[in-house]
């Protein structure tokens, strides 16, 4: 593995007002990258930008709601021109929807898909022709372990993250040899606001959570790696067990769900 050389790189990060996105933006700016920040909350985003500008004065931000899918492509092009190009696109923004599938409404599922999958897709397709013409670039998709195995009462979230995983694999295959690389990040439980969002059921998970800065450090390491997929922390053995006997996994998860409060 070679280390990612952040100095001088132009990195566009979505979901940058808090959590992993904010930690990643600060870490990259401290290493000399020019960071473009995208998120909905202006005040929070402005604070992250102020922190980034202490070491990377050319960093900038765009306040936008990635659920507004018709505008996402234009936003990507605005960022490209504002930064003078984009070397790395980090699709990090995501929203939860903890709710049993029997209580879900179609509009709720579609809202999750718009932010967690459609927005990354549209940003990627907006920037990709320019990366391909330059024959260099990197697309980093922050999915989740929930994109590789089902989580109780998380069917909408899992669907969006499974979609992002499949999309990322397809990108990696199609872009091989073009100079544009793809990294898929699979965080486990991370200590962010996603656990406290309103209009969600109480989380069933009560175990340990990883700090956002630790995940951000792992993402930077992944950006310097030749590998495609990166679990942060390494929960791949659990996914491998699931894949070895999917019926047993579903039976076990269903039993856990039936005993959940």
């Amino acid at each position: 593995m070679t280390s990612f050389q952040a100095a001088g790189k132009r990195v566009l990060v979505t979901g940058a007002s808090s959590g992993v996105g904010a930690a990643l933006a600060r870490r990259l700016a401290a290493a000399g990258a020019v960071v473009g920040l995208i998120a909905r909350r202006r005040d929070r985003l402005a604070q992250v930008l102020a922190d980034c500008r202490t070491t990377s004065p050319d960093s900038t931000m765009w306040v936008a709601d990635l659920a507004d899918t018709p505008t996402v492509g234009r936003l990507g092009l605005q960022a490209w021109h504002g930064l003078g190009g984009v070397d790395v696109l980090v699709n990090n923004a995501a929203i939860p929807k903890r709710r049993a599938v029997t209580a879900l409404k179609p509009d709720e599922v579609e809202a999750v898909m718009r932010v967690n999958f459609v927005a990354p897709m549209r940003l990627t397709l907006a920037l990709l022709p320019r990366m391909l013409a330059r024959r260099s670039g990197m697309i980093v998709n922050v999915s989740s372990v929930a994109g590789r195995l089902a989580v109780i009462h998380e069917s909408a979230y899992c669907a969006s993250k499974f979609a992002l995983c499949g999309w990322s694999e397809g990108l990696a295959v199609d872009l091989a040899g073009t100079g544009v690389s793809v990294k898929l990040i699979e965080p486990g439980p991370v200590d962010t606001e996603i656990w406290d969002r309103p209009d969600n059921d109480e989380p069933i998970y009560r175990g340990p959570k990883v700090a956002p800065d630790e995940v951000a450090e792992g993402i930077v390491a992944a950006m310097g790696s030749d590998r495609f997929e990166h679990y942060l922390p390494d929960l791949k053995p659990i996914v491998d067990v699931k894949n070895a006997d999917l019926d047993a996994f579903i039976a076990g998860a269903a039993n856990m769900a039936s005993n959940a409060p």
Side-chain angles (χ1 to χ4, degrees), residues 1 4 13 20-21 24 28 88-94 116 120 138-149 157 160-169 171-172 181-190 210-236 239:
M1 178 186 292
F4 175 71
V13 183
V20 172
L24 179 63
L28 289 168
V88 183
L89 167 63
V90 182
N91 288 306
N92 167 74
N116 295 5
M138 182 183 297
I139 299 161
V140 180
N141 289 332
V142 182
S143 181
S144 168
V145 171
R148 292 300 195 195
L149 53 79
Y157 183 77
S160 68
K161 293 300 191 176
F162 267 71
L164 189 59
C165 287
W167 168 254
S168 301
E169 288 185 31
L171 283 175
S181 60
V182 181
K183 307 296 179 187
L184 178 62
I185 311 299
E186 311 280 21
V190 185
V210 180
D213 200 59
E214 185 176 335
V215 177
E217 181 180 8
I219 292 174
V220 174
M223 290 160 66
S225 167
D226 292 332
R227 292 190 297 112
F228 164 70
E229 187 172 38
H230 302 263
Y231 288 84
L232 303 172
D234 186 9
L235 298 177
K236 188 175 184 296
V239 177

Side-chain angles (χ1 to χ4, degrees), residues 34-254:
V34 177
V35 184
L37 313 177
I38 295 175
R40 291 180 299 109
R41 297 175 294 183
R42 181 179 298 274
D43 291 348
R44 297 284 295 274
L45 195 60
Q47 182 57 61
V48 177
L49 178 62
D51 294 342
C52 291
R53 281 183 168 170
T54 61
T55 51
S56 179
D58 292 332
S59 293
T60 189
M61 74 181 204
W62 290 268
V63 177
D65 185 354
L66 294 180
D68 186 10
T69 52
T71 68
V72 171
R74 293 197 300 274
L75 174 65
L77 296 182
Q78 288 172 10
W80 181 280
H81 294 302
L83 293 171
V86 173
D87 298 300
V88 183
L89 167 63
V90 182
N91 288 306
N92 167 74
I95 59 172
K97 181 52 66 181
R98 285 186 304 276
R99 187 155 297 155
V101 70
T102 50
L104 274 175
K105 297 179 176 64
D107 288 350
E108 293 173 328
V109 180
E110 290 179 6
V112 175
M113 290 297 294
R114 282 196 298 272
V115 175
N116 295 5
F117 172 67
V118 177
M121 174 272 290
R122 284 181 174 263
L123 276 175
T124 298
L125 292 183
L127 301 187
L128 186 57
R130 288 163 173 76
M131 288 184 173
L132 290 172
R134 194 181 56 198
R135 294 195 63 79
S136 69
M138 182 183 297
I139 299 161
V140 180
N141 289 332
V142 182
S143 181
S144 168
V145 171
R148 292 300 195 195
L149 53 79
V151 179
I152 299 167
H153 295 176
E154 297 270 16
S155 55
Y157 183 77
C158 287
S160 68
K161 293 300 191 176
F162 267 71
L164 189 59
C165 287
W167 168 254
S168 301
E169 288 185 31
L171 283 175
V173 171
D174 285 354
L175 297 179
T178 66
V180 179
S181 60
V182 181
K183 307 296 179 187
L184 178 62
I185 311 299
E186 311 280 21
V190 185
D191 191 10
T192 71
E193 297 171 10
I194 202 167
W195 301 95
D196 306 316
R197 291 286 295 269
D199 198 28
N200 280 266
D201 291 349
E202 284 293 314
I204 293 173
Y205 180 77
R206 293 288 189 269
K209 300 182 179 76
V210 180
D213 200 59
E214 185 176 335
V215 177
E217 181 180 8
I219 292 174
V220 174
M223 290 160 66
S225 167
D226 292 332
R227 292 190 297 112
F228 164 70
E229 187 172 38
H230 302 263
Y231 288 84
L232 303 172
D234 186 9
L235 298 177
K236 188 175 184 296
I238 297 175
V239 177
D240 290 342
V241 168
K242 169 244 182 177
N243 289 334
D245 193 338
L246 184 54
D247 290 321
F249 171 80
I250 291 173

